[in-house]
Amino acid sequence: MAQPDTKKIFFENLSGAGKAIAVLTSGGDAQGMNAAVRAVVRMGLYVGAKVYFIHEGYQGMVDGGENIREAKWESVSSMLQVGGTVIGSARCKDFRTHEGRLKAALNLVQRGITNLCVIGGDGSLTGANLFREEWSGLLAELVEQGALEADAVQQYSALHIVGMVGSIDNDFCGTDMTIGTDSALHRIIEVVDAIMTTAQSHQRTFVLEVMGRHCGYLALVSALACGADWVLIPEMPPEDGWEEKMCQKLSATRSRGSRLNIIIVAEGALDRHGKAITSSYVKDLVVKCLGFDTRVTILGHVQRGGTPSAFDRILASRIGVEAVLALLETTANTPACVVSLVGNQSVRVPLMECVQMTQEVQKAMDGKRFEEAVKLRGRSFENNLKTYKLLAHRKPESELPVSNFNVAVLNVGAPAAGMNAAVRSAVRVGISEGHKMFAVSDGFEGFSKGQIREFKWADVGGWTGQGGSLLGTKRTLPAKHVEKIAEQMRKHNINALLIIGGFEAFESLLQLFEARGTYEEFCIPMCMLPSTISNNIPGTDLSIGADTALNAIVETCDRIKQSASGTKRRVFIIETMGGYCGYLATVGGLAAGADAAYIYEEPFDIRDLQANVEHLTEKMKTSIQRGLVLRNENSSENYTTDFIYQLYSEEGKGVFDCRKNVLGHMQQGGAPSPFDRNFGTKISAKAMQWITKKLTETFRQGRVFANTEDTCCLLGMRRRALVFQPVVQLTDDTDFVHRIPKEQWWLKLRPLMKILAKYKTSYDVSDSGQLEHVVHNRPKELDASVAM
């Protein structure tokens, strides 16, 4: 990691000197809350503010005393990987009373606290806003009672509040993703994957009940991620007669050779008449109508527990830092805001606008306006529901459109978790659009050999949870076999191509575009979906597979750090994959709490290494017991992992010892994360709909002919939306020698990682969130769980 620029520590107008910030967690706990607390504390100290913990939520604020304690840098060490909230959370009746809020105001003013960072749900944030509105009146009342000096009213005239939403239900409008939701999905999917093996063994049906009294997000997205046969959610109760339809669907699935059924029920599921649909009712129904061996699993609070996922740690760290910036910039006239995530970007939205829209959802549900409730949840939720229906419910052959188009799908490059979910989605959406779907084995090498066969709906059953590439994949580029590939395309009358893969897939699409001038067979719509753990594809912020790799890195780093527990001080040097792209090392380092991350994109030399060792040595002399240093595999030709390990070992003598680990291909394997399953599923569905549109547009005189740039595209996520981009237009943005984009958004996260590791460095606030209003039709092209 290059030596930070110490000339510019922070923008002067954002100095926190003389300010006091307090952080509390309230309401139900959620994995990732500790990461948010850690980010608030360390960013607050970084800008020169005093930072306080408020233990036990609002109850601690009312009770005061030892519940409000000053936080130091070391106070938040080793809490990044801990679930729940280490500063405690409690429901507080006292804070709902005027007298309770009066006590809380006195406790804050006595410590000079006028900046509050509240991590909780809509109830907690609404309470915070009421507290802010009453603040001046509360202080005046305390002066009248003689509890405060008169000048305190002027000195502490305004209370500033910034919220972060911590809720596993993802039920808060104004943000794509709440802290804890992704981790809860991890718990659910782990259980589903485990249940599927026993269900297949015994030909069972499992009814799985997940949390969500008022919001069906967890049920819906987990159903999408595991390919459940049926899902029941509060926002969209099933039509009357659903029992018979569900049983018909389960029976049809079994008749096609499946040995199991999965039904997911949100705990708040209702029918059209407001009657609760319980998991036991669903079980009894299946047993009575079909006689299937059926079991119920109620997950309960296991969904709240466990280690936070990589996504939740990164989300919480990003918005925790953003929350401190928002507090520093706020004025007496600034409304209380919530720091949220839209697509891949942090934004600030007025707190009460979010609360009001969240309440509107419930009103629509209470009034049985279910279509409106789904729309109010946002396009993300609406798109999830549409995609699930498209993939899970097969229309009878008689109802399918007849397109007479043949579409081929193949994987190219190294395998990545989530590829199989993308193939499944493509096959099923293609069939629903009326196409014949052909799967190609072993990439373009298999294409040239004619390893092509038609795939039916049932051929991709159970694919979402499978890691690697079930189709097989090769790195071979098409240029070597272009003539044979064209011949196979003629033979099978392929009218469109969907390529799922990494940098080789990008290069392949460019070669096929060039080949259009020689072979008319390639004058067809062609689309690429980025899928690689390296996340090194131009034109997209994220790639299928990268999230699973990040989780593998973070889980391993947690275990490695834990191995040093109770021993002498130790530093671990970890080598990650990624080629020349430092995404895994940087973002994995942020999620795992690394002290340094060496990457190719940020050149470093021996002076930088020495500065990092000295910095770590100073930290080790305090209460820090473990250090973590990540190195991208191709970050430097000469400063190898062995060299860095030996340097740290030598320079750390007497203070700490060293260990090194090369993570290798374990980053590429394993079951795909919920994020990658959903990302792959949804962008693949979107790509197939684009292909259908292009096929219709380019079909003339009995044939498909597409030779324009906009018919050969990459579908990528850019900040807030999914965008189709002609691949030839991405060549100028690409470093082909090192196989990386010339500009990479995640490099802006590196200063954040350094700040949280106690470096004094400059931090660019130009990209920080601006206050935006919540609107019903704000574009949300993608699922919240595919936002970083």
Side-chain angles (χ1 to χ4, degrees):
M1 183 160 62
Q3 178 67 5
D5 175 12
T6 52
K7 295 177 183 175
K8 178 185 171 191
I9 293 176
F10 206 76
F11 296 109
E12 288 180 12
N13 62 327
L14 288 179
S15 171
K19 294 193 176 185
I21 298 170
V23 58
L24 72 147
T25 54
S26 176
D29 65 306
Q31 309 97 317
M33 280 183 164
N34 290 325
V37 170
R38 172 180 177 267
V40 170
V41 168
R42 292 195 166 176
M43 189 64 176
L45 294 173
Y46 171 82
V47 298
K50 265 192 173 184
V51 186
Y52 291 85
F53 291 136
I54 299 179
H55 291 265
E56 312 308 333
Y58 286 116
Q59 192 65 56
M61 195 190 296
V62 172
D63 295 343
E66 282 298 300
N67 288 304
I68 306 176
R69 295 181 222 160
E70 190 173 348
K72 301 296 182 188
W73 190 272
E74 292 75 22
S75 306
V76 291
S77 295
S78 302
M79 67 190 287
L80 189 61
Q81 68 273 21
V82 179
T85 164
V86 298
I87 60 173
S89 183
R91 311 283 180 189
C92 180
K93 291 181 180 177
D94 292 341
F95 192 74
R96 295 177 185 174
T97 67
H98 181 76
E99 292 74 19
R101 293 192 291 277
L102 200 63
K103 287 180 185 176
L106 178 61
N107 287 327
L108 294 185
V109 170
Q110 284 175 338
R111 293 164 178 80
I113 299 169
T114 56
N115 297 281
L116 268 186
C117 191
V118 180
I119 308 166
D122 60 339
S124 304
L125 299 176
T126 304
N129 191 60
L130 174 64
F131 192 38
R132 182 187 73 91
E133 289 172 347
E134 290 182 347
W135 181 258
S136 57
L138 293 171
L139 295 197
E141 199 172 328
L142 288 168
V143 170
E144 281 179 27
Q145 294 176 2
L148 282 182
E149 298 293 330
D151 61 352
V153 177
Q154 188 171 358
Q155 187 178 353
Y156 305 112
S157 59
L159 178 68
H160 305 300
I161 286 173
V162 171
M164 290 186 279
V165 191
S167 165
I168 67 166
D169 292 329
N170 203 34
D171 57 352
F172 193 81
C173 295
T175 183
D176 278 355
M177 200 67 159
T178 57
I179 296 168
T181 304
D182 186 70
S183 299
L185 285 170
H186 273 256
R187 300 294 93 79
I188 295 168
I189 294 304
E190 284 164 11
V191 171
V192 174
D193 286 351
I195 279 175
M196 278 182 158
T197 58
T198 188
Q200 280 182 324
S201 301
H202 298 277
Q203 296 193 59
R204 281 185 180 143
T205 294
F206 269 89
V207 182
L208 195 73
E209 184 181 303
V210 302
M211 283 185 164
R213 246 175 314 176
H214 305 292
C215 179
Y217 184 88
L218 287 179
L220 178 58
V221 175
S222 55
L224 199 57
C226 73
D229 296 284
W230 203 267
V231 65
L232 294 157
I233 59 173
E235 290 88 348
M236 187 52 69
E239 300 286 349
D240 290 345
W242 65 273
E243 294 95 336
E244 186 181 346
K245 287 181 181 176
M246 183 185 76
C247 289
Q248 285 175 353
K249 168 78 192 305
L250 299 180
S251 182
T253 303
R254 288 290 180 95
S255 68
R256 289 194 293 269
S258 176
R259 292 176 58 86
L260 78 158
N261 301 111
I262 299 289
I263 302 165
I264 297 184
V265 183
E267 62 179 327
L270 304 166
D271 66 15
R272 292 269 159 176
H273 308 287
K275 182 185 173 186
I277 301 175
T278 64
S279 50
S280 57
Y281 174 76
V282 175
K283 175 203 167 180
D284 293 342
L285 181 69
V286 175
V287 172
K288 180 183 174 184
C289 296
L290 299 173
F292 291 170
D293 183 3
T294 306
R295 305 297 166 93
V296 171
T297 300
I298 299 173
L299 289 189
H301 283 75
V302 72
Q303 294 158 89
R304 288 194 187 279
T307 301
S309 66
F311 182 99
D312 272 327
R313 299 185 199 194
I314 297 157
L315 170 66
S317 298
R318 287 180 70 181
I319 65 176
V321 167
E322 186 68 38
V324 173
L325 295 179
L327 282 173
L328 296 180
E329 293 174 4
T330 193
T331 65
N333 300 320
T334 307
C337 75
V338 173
V339 180
S340 68
L341 195 75
V342 178
N344 194 30
Q345 191 175 13
S346 298
V347 298
R348 302 173 194 172
V349 282
L351 188 154
M352 289 316 294
E353 284 186 20
C354 298
V355 169
Q356 284 159 11
M357 188 173 285
T358 304
Q359 291 169 349
E360 280 180 43
V361 177
Q362 191 59 49
K363 286 176 185 174
M365 288 163 62
D366 293 341
K368 298 184 179 179
R369 303 188 306 277
F370 300 115
E371 296 284 350
E372 183 185 338
V374 169
K375 288 186 185 300
L376 286 168
R377 283 272 183 235
R379 287 193 186 171
S380 164
F381 191 93
E382 193 177 3
N383 288 345
N384 275 319
L385 190 56
K386 285 179 182 174
T387 307
Y388 174 76
K389 288 178 178 177
L390 196 62
L391 295 172
H393 300 294
R394 183 184 184 184
K395 292 180 182 177
E397 296 286 341
S398 58
E399 293 181 24
L400 290 173
V402 181
S403 71
N404 294 319
F405 292 125
N406 295 344
V407 181
V409 57
L410 69 159
N411 295 335
V412 178
M419 274 183 164
N420 297 321
V423 172
R424 169 186 176 268
S425 178
V427 168
R428 292 197 169 178
V429 174
I431 290 170
S432 298
E433 302 270 328
H435 310 316
K436 274 190 178 180
M437 296 300 299
F438 290 83
V440 181
S441 299
D442 297 335
F444 284 108
E445 193 174 309
F447 210 145
S448 68
K449 295 174 181 176
Q451 295 172 209
I452 305 163
R453 69 183 179 97
E454 187 179 351
F455 261 36
K456 300 292 188 181
W457 187 277
D459 291 333
V460 289
W463 278 38
T464 50
Q466 300 290 318
S469 167
L470 292 174
L471 282 184
T473 181
K474 299 270 188 178
R475 295 180 183 270
T476 310
L477 298 181
K480 292 180 181 179
H481 310 287
V482 67
E483 190 174 338
K484 288 183 179 178
I485 293 167
E487 183 184 319
Q488 292 295 332
M489 291 184 76
R490 273 196 310 277
K491 180 179 175 182
H492 294 277
N493 190 29
I494 301 300
N495 307 118
L497 206 55
L498 179 66
I499 303 171
I500 303 164
F503 202 86
E504 292 89 353
F506 175 64
E507 290 180 302
S508 296
L509 206 52
L510 285 170
Q511 289 182 3
L512 294 183
F513 181 80
E514 288 298 318
R516 280 178 169 179
T518 311
Y519 299 94
E520 283 194 0
E521 288 80 3
F522 300 116
C523 293
I524 57 172
M526 294 185 284
C527 185
M528 175 197 161
L529 302 180
S531 181
T532 167
I533 68 165
S534 302
N535 199 33
N536 62 331
I537 310 297
T540 187
D541 290 354
L542 297 171
S543 301
I544 301 165
D547 182 73
T548 304
L550 277 178
N551 277 288
I553 291 166
V554 169
E555 286 168 19
T556 306
C557 287
D558 286 350
R559 292 181 185 183
I560 286 170
K561 285 162 73 177
Q562 192 179 46
S563 73
S565 182
T567 66
K568 59 183 178 178
R569 295 183 175 92
R570 182 164 287 168
V571 173
F572 295 95
I573 314 295
I574 312 290
E575 183 184 298
T576 66
M577 292 174 79
Y580 285 95
C581 180
Y583 176 81
L584 291 178
T586 295
V587 183
L590 178 61
D595 296 279
Y598 300 111
I599 63 170
Y600 166 78
E601 292 91 342
E602 193 174 284
F604 58 96
D605 59 24
I606 194 68
R607 290 180 295 275
D608 301 318
L609 290 168
Q610 183 63 30
N612 295 151
V613 173
E614 289 171 0
H615 179 82
L616 199 47
T617 303
E618 284 303 308
K619 285 171 69 177
M620 285 284 182
K621 287 177 181 176
T622 62
S623 61
I624 304 296
Q625 295 292 317
R626 287 156 287 178
L628 184 66
V629 174
L630 270 62
R631 177 188 175 273
N632 168 245
E633 58 184 349
N634 288 343
S635 56
S636 171
E637 188 178 346
N638 297 310
Y639 298 125
T640 62
T641 302
D642 281 335
F643 179 91
I644 292 172
Y645 162 69
Q646 289 166 4
L647 176 70
Y648 273 74
S649 297
E650 182 65 29
E651 296 298 318
K653 277 182 180 174
V655 180
F656 60 81
D657 67 359
C658 270
R659 295 289 185 274
K660 68 172 178 176
N661 292 79
V662 178
L663 301 186
H665 282 76
M666 55 81 63
Q667 297 159 84
Q668 224 167 32
S673 67
F675 183 109
D676 280 329
R677 296 182 196 202
N678 288 323
F679 191 27
T681 296
K682 294 182 74 175
I683 67 169
S684 189
K686 192 174 181 70
M688 283 307 303
Q689 289 166 338
W690 177 87
I691 282 173
T692 299
K693 181 185 172 193
K694 292 296 178 186
L695 282 168
T696 306
E697 289 174 357
T698 58
F699 185 72
R700 294 183 186 87
Q701 298 176 340
R703 60 173 288 198
V704 172
F705 187 81
N707 65 349
T708 55
E709 289 183 359
D710 66 348
T711 58
C712 184
C713 286
L714 177 145
L715 174 56
M717 178 186 166
R718 303 300 288 264
R719 292 173 75 84
R720 298 196 185 192
L722 289 171
V723 185
F724 289 95
Q725 303 146 98
V727 286
V728 290
Q729 294 180 15
L730 294 172
T731 54
D732 289 342
D733 303 331
T734 308
D735 175 352
F736 283 94
V737 175
H738 298 100
R739 298 157 62 90
I740 54 174
K742 289 179 180 175
E743 290 188 15
Q744 303 186 84
W745 68 272
W746 52 265
L747 287 169
K748 290 185 177 179
L749 298 181
R750 286 186 65 77
L752 190 153
M753 184 186 70
K754 294 175 188 177
I755 288 168
L756 297 180
K758 210 175 182 178
Y759 282 91
K760 286 295 181 185
T761 183
S762 60
Y763 187 71
D764 180 9
V765 296
S766 62
D767 199 38
S768 64
Q770 303 301 313
L771 194 65
E772 299 183 5
H773 293 285
V774 182
V775 291
H776 291 267
N777 59 350
R778 185 173 70 193
K780 288 186 183 178
E781 291 292 333
L782 64 167
D783 187 291
S785 64
V786 301
M788 185 50 141

